[in-house]
Amino acid sequence: MNKKIFSRISAAVMAAAIMAGQAIVACAYGDVQLDCTNAIESDNWTQSIQFNYNNDDPDDLKSFDATRMTDQSVITVTYDILETYETDSPTGFPVELIFQSWSSPDTPMVKSDGGVWAKVVPAVLDEEHNTESFNYADIVAAYGSDNFEKVDAVLFGSTNDAKIKVKSVTITNCNDQGSHWVDPSIAEQAKEAQEKEKEAQKKNIIGIIIGIIAGVAVAVGVIWFIISSKSREAFDVSTGEFVDKKDAR
């Protein structure tokens, strides 16, 4: 009997631990809502909006680091359809996702100039709400690799089906930080700039300290002069003024 009770308690504890672990993993990821205020109207295979990687500010919502994505990530875009077109070869969807690199990434899709222009077909099309969703696996297949450290830009463009304007972009299940590749020359320049800034700050601090010391020295000198002057004077009751002690004798 005791063994059965113990077994049930152990099973309950293990189940609770598993659920807690899943909750922790779930909380480790978050959704990213990108800033689409720069979106423009586009049609005939042009782009409505582009999110470049921003090394200076990776958290800028007008940019995106694709290495933040996980295998559970889904990219969802909403858009306005401004005009539809009759075409001999319609794609069946008005918006396409593009993963672009110009940094010679390690993928079979790279061109001789070191660039990649990977077009992704939506996995889900909701025509009623003008929404498309792109799965992680489809992005990997189009890009040729799941290593996104050299993805320089994520773009949303129009096909030949319609004129559109992107309204919103949401990327689910993202890590808080990415691990994007940085050109060594740029990294070295950034390091040198930081060192120069630190040196300038150091000089400013030294200058401030010297200024404070000089100010204190001047103040002490003035006080000493006043005290010394007063010590050489005596108060003349008849005139009501301080006079030199030598003259008061």
Side-chain angles (χ1 to χ4, degrees), residues 186-245:
I186 296 177
E188 184 63 27
Q189 291 174 3
K191 183 179 179 181
E192 291 177 358
Q194 289 177 351
E195 290 177 351
K196 288 181 180 179
E197 184 177 355
K198 288 180 180 179
E199 187 64 26
Q201 290 176 348
K202 183 179 178 181
K203 289 181 179 179
N204 289 338
I205 292 173
I206 293 174
I208 291 171
I209 293 173
I210 292 174
I212 292 173
I213 293 173
V216 171
V218 170
V220 170
V222 171
I223 294 172
W224 177 256
F225 175 77
I226 293 172
I227 293 173
S228 298
S229 298
K230 294 299 181 182
S231 66
R232 294 194 303 268
E233 295 178 344
F235 185 73
D236 188 342
V237 179
S238 62
T239 62
E241 297 178 351
F242 283 96
V243 297
D244 193 290
K245 289 182 179 180

Side-chain angles (χ1 to χ4, degrees), residues 87-102:
T87 175
D88 294 334
S89 54
T91 62
F93 53 92
V95 177
E96 63 177 0
L97 167 66
I98 300 164
F99 266 42
Q100 183 183 14
S101 174
W102 49 80

